[in-house]
Amino acid sequence: MSGPSRKSLLTNVLCLGALGWIYGGDLSDALRARTEEVSALLTPPSAVRASIVLGLAGVGLAVFLAGLLRKKQEGFKGYRLLPILLVVALFVDLVLAESRTPLDPPEMASVALQRFQGEAQKLATVESVPTRSQVLQPLVDALGSPPYLERGASVPAYTLQVRTDCEGPVRGAPGTRAGTLLYCVARDGKQAWVTLVGLPAEVRFGAPAVLSQRGEPRVAVVRAQIPADPEENDVLPGIDLEIPIVDGGAATSPLP
């Protein structure tokens, strides 16, 4: 039989599809990240690397088709180019991925939200939660950089927006920059709801929106400390016990 076997033909088709899906997607994401207002990406994919892989895939496809048209036998090396290219490209990606964090942007944003809530909770008193930006800003500075891009550039740092007289968490913040923590204090000052502007967990590109999961915003709550129970602080009166001393089976009282 002339030409490649069905197995070789199927293998090349699958490899070509995988290369187009993986690296065509990377190239699309790299170009889209430069134009979208917000991208849920730590860094944009390398457009250069994706273009090189796709270019080599085009060369491999051309060689494969040339061998197919000329009815080259199964041993023709041109039938192996696409599988080899896919394996090498994935190996390079695996090596480069070793230095990347295993968390995706929505998870990293949630971790930052929880960290801020935990540190702010430590500043709460029995009377109220912290409300001054000057007090809360150091907590924000310690969070590092948000896991978002703005038109292809990394958002440099988290920012803080304090609101008062709130009745619940902020669910919408049009015009607010990605990476903004919305700290909304209740009217009585004993509670604060914290939300984060980024993107919904299901969305990778778009306009800034409150971080949410299936339409529900991710909210961290800071509460005033619970007053200690006065009974726990009461000191029990001392009790002097006279333990009889046993001497030869007869009990005697201790000497005064």
Side-chain angles (χ1 to χ4, degrees):
M1 184 182 73
S2 60
S5 64
R6 291 184 178 179
K7 181 179 179 181
S8 294
L9 182 61
L10 179 60
T11 299
N12 278 271
V13 170
L14 292 176
C15 290
L16 182 63
L19 288 166
W21 178 61
I22 297 172
Y23 297 97
D26 283 353
L27 181 59
S28 175
D29 288 348
L31 297 176
R32 191 174 179 183
R34 297 177 182 178
T35 57
E36 290 287 348
E37 193 170 354
V38 178
S39 306
L41 299 171
L42 298 177
T43 56
S46 174
V48 174
R49 186 167 68 250
S51 298
I52 291 175
V53 173
L54 291 175
L56 293 175
V59 173
L61 176 61
V63 175
F64 175 82
L65 292 177
L68 186 64
L69 293 175
R70 295 178 182 180
K71 298 182 180 181
K72 295 287 185 178
Q73 298 298 321
E74 177 67 20
F76 178 55
K77 294 182 179 179
Y79 297 150
R80 307 174 189 172
L81 292 180
L82 289 175
I84 291 174
L85 175 60
L86 178 61
V87 172
V88 172
L90 291 177
F91 176 76
V92 172
D93 282 351
L94 181 62
V95 172
L96 296 176
E98 289 182 354
S99 59
R100 299 174 186 170
T101 175
L103 300 178
D104 60 16
E107 292 173 339
M108 294 181 66
S110 296
V111 170
L113 186 64
Q114 294 170 3
R115 283 182 57 192
F116 175 82
Q117 182 269 341
E119 295 300 318
Q121 185 63 55
K122 296 177 182 178
L123 301 177
T125 64
V126 175
E127 291 78 16
S128 66
V129 298
T131 58
R132 296 176 57 196
S133 300
Q134 296 86 340
V135 175
L136 296 168
Q137 187 60 47
L139 309 183
V140 178
D141 296 337
L143 298 178
S145 301
Y148 297 106
L149 303 177
E150 286 183 330
R151 304 198 184 279
S154 299
V155 179
Y158 285 93
T159 56
L160 176 67
Q161 188 178 112
V162 178
R163 302 185 182 185
T164 57
D165 296 332
C166 298
E167 297 181 354
V170 178
R171 297 177 176 269
T176 306
R177 186 178 185 181
T180 301
L181 288 160
L182 301 172
Y183 187 83
C184 207
V185 185
R187 291 181 179 179
D188 60 4
K190 292 185 176 294
Q191 184 170 256
W193 299 272
V194 191
T195 50
L196 174 64
V197 177
L199 284 174
E202 302 83 3
V203 177
R204 298 181 65 199
F205 303 95
V210 172
L211 177 66
S212 61
Q213 180 77 37
R214 299 185 182 91
E216 289 297 322
R218 293 187 177 178
V219 182
V221 183
V222 181
R223 295 183 174 90
Q225 299 288 350
I226 300 176
D229 189 349
E231 295 182 359
E232 295 180 358
N233 297 328
D234 290 344
V235 179
L236 293 176
I239 302 177
D240 294 331
L241 297 178
E242 291 188 354
I243 303 176
I245 299 175
V246 179
D247 184 10
T252 59
S253 298
L255 296 175

